[in-house]
DNA sequence: CATAAATTTCAGAAATTTCTGAAATTACCG
DNA sequence: CGGTAATTTCAGAAATTTCTGAAATTTATG
C-alpha cells in the first residue's frame, strides 16, 4: 500500500472498523479509498493502491454494488469500469440506513410477525410471545418513524436533526400558543 | 437444543442474525433466550437449553455484560449467578444505541478529527480532507441529535417517534400560529 | 470470427473467529 | 484452613470467512 499518509490512515481505519460494521476489511478499505478520491478509480488502480489481488477487488466491488454504495462509470474510449461514491454524503447516509434496515431489521420483523401468529403451546411460550410482541411493537414504531423521515429532503432533515429534543419543548410551546390563539383570536390552522 | 418451538425459532433466528449485528451466533442465541425467559437463568440452564459448552456460555455472558445487555442476579441460598435482560425494552434500545455508538461511531469520529488536524501534503490530500470534513460534520450532527434525544423519557421519545416527519410540518404551522399570535395578541412565550 | 482486454468465477490456501475440554482460579462454607 | 461448587481462563481444535491465482467468461474491436 503506497498512499499519502492522511488517506492511508483513513483507509486503514475503515478496514479495521469493517468487521464491526458487518463488512470485511477489504470492502471497508476500498470504500474509504473511493470516498476520498476525487476521480473515479478502476479496479487496477485499487489493486495498486491497496496491494490486494485483482479477484478480491472484483468481489469486493460487487459487494459494494450490492449495497448501492458505489457508482459504476465509464470514460469515453476506455472499456474499463470506473467506480466512485456519490458526492452527496446525505445520500450516502440514506443508502446506508436503507440497506442496513433491509439486512439487519426486516428479517427479524418478519420472523417476529410469523411467531406472533402461532398459538402458544404453554405458559412459557405465552410469556415469550408477550416479549416478542413488545419487540415487534418497538421495531414497528422505529421503522415507521424511519419511513417517514427518510422522505424528507436534506434541508428539512438537517433542521430536524438540529432541533433534536427541543422538538418536544416546541410541541409543549405550540400547545400553549394554540390555546392562547384560541382565547384571543381564531387561528386559521388547527 | 430442546426448547418449545416458538422460543427455539426465535433463538435460532437471533443466532443467525448475530453475524450481521456484529455479535456471534452463541451470544445472539443466549441473548434471545434470556430475553424471552420469564425467570433468570443460570449458566447451566443455558448450557442445557442451547447444547453448547459451559466455557462458551461463560465467555458469551461476559461479552453480553460488556455490552450492558444482561443483568446478573442472585437468589437467596444459591451461590450461582443468574442472568436476565432488563424488562423495559426502551431501556434495552437505549443501551444498544449507546454501546453501538461507542463501538461503531466514536472511534471513527476520533480518527476523523485527528486527520483533519494534519496539514495536507498535496492536492490529493486536500481533497481527501474536504471529504473527511463532510463526514465529520455529518457524524457530529447525528451524534448531537442522538445525545439530545437519548435524554428524553420514554413517553416523550414515543411521542417524537410517532410524529415522525410531521414535526417539520408542525414547525411550519407553529411559525404561522406564532405570527398570527403576534398580529392579534402578545403571546407570553417566545 | 479471431483476438485482446477486462472482468468474474471458484477451488483451495491463508487468516480469523468461534468453540471446547481440561486446568486454574475464585467464592463460599463448615 | 480444607473442601466443594461455580466460574473463568486458555491452548488448541473446529468452523467460518477472506483472499488468491489460475482458468473461464464476457465484452469490444478490427
Amino acid at each position: 500500500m503506497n498512499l499519502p499518509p492522511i488517506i492511508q490512515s483513513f483507509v486503514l481505519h475503515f478496514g479495521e472498523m469493517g468487521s464491526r460494521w458487518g463488512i470485511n476489511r477489504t470492502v471497508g478499505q476500498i470504500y474509504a479509498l473511493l470516498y476520498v478520491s476525487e476521480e473515479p478509480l478502476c479496479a487496477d488502480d485499487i489493486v495498486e493502491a491497496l496491494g490486494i489481488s485483482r479477484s478480491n477487488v472484483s468481489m469486493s466491488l460487487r459487494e459494494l454494488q450490492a449495497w448501492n454504495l458505489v457508482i459504476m462509470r465509464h470514460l469515453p474510449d476506455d472499456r474499463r469500469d470506473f467506480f466512485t461514491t456519490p458526492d452527496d454524503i446525505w445520500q450516502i447516509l440514506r443508502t446506508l440506513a436503507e440497506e442496513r434496515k433491509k439486512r439487519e431489521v426486516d428479517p427479524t420483523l418478519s420472523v417476529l410477525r410469523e411467531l406472533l401468529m402461532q398459538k402458544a403451546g404453554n405458559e412459557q411460550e405465552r410469556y415469550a410471545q408477550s416479549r416478542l410482541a413488545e419487540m415487534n411493537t418497538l421495531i414497528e414504531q422505529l421503522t415507521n418513524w424511519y419511513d417517514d423521515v427518510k422522505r424528507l429532503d436534506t434541508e428539512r432533515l438537517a433542521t430536524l436533526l438540529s432541533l433534536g429534543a427541543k422538538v418536544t419543548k416546541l410541541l409543549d410551546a405550540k400547545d400553549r400558543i394554540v390555546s392562547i390563539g384560541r382565547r384571543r383570536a381564531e387561528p386559521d390552522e388547527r
Side-chain angles (χ1 to χ4, degrees), chain A residues 59-148:
Chain A
M59 291 193 305
S60 301
L61 284 171
R62 161 170 292 256
E63 172 90 357
L64 284 169
Q65 285 177 285
W67 278 78
N68 282 309
L69 284 171
V70 297
I71 298 165
M72 204 202 297
R73 327 212 49 174
H74 287 102
L75 302 184
D77 301 326
D78 192 329
R79 44 205 264 216
R80 291 173 298 176
D81 298 336
F82 285 79
F83 297 87
T84 16
T85 62
D87 283 341
D88 179 5
I89 194 161
W90 290 87
Q91 187 47 51
I92 293 174
L93 177 67
R94 283 173 223 271
T95 302
L96 209 54
E98 189 65 24
E99 297 293 329
R100 285 190 84 149
K101 172 175 178 288
K102 200 192 299 177
R103 289 168 174 73
E104 301 181 10
V105 178
D106 291 351
T108 297
L109 206 43
S110 121
V111 166
L112 287 174
R113 284 170 179 161
E114 185 193 314
L115 296 179
L116 286 170
M117 302 281 289
Q118 296 181 20
K119 183 87 185 73
N122 55 29
E123 173 52 28
Q124 197 188 356
E125 286 202 323
R126 284 212 294 131
Y127 178 80
Q129 275 190 328
S130 74
R131 290 292 270 170
L132 301 190
E134 287 176 50
M135 185 180 286
N136 184 60
T137 301
L138 181 71
I139 296 178
E140 280 181 349
Q141 283 178 274
L142 292 171
T143 56
N144 286 343
W145 177 83
Y146 166 73
D147 284 340
D148 217 20

Side-chain angles (χ1 to χ4, degrees), chain A residues 1-4 7-8 11-12 29-30 33-34 37 41-52 57:
Chain A
M1 192 181 298
N2 184 21
L3 289 167
I7 295 178
Q8 169 151 332
V11 163
L12 290 177
Q29 289 186 352
I30 292 179
L33 180 65
L34 294 176
S37 294
L41 303 182
C42 73
D44 284 320
D45 295 336
I46 298 170
V47 166
E48 187 175 7
L50 303 181
I52 57 182
V57 170

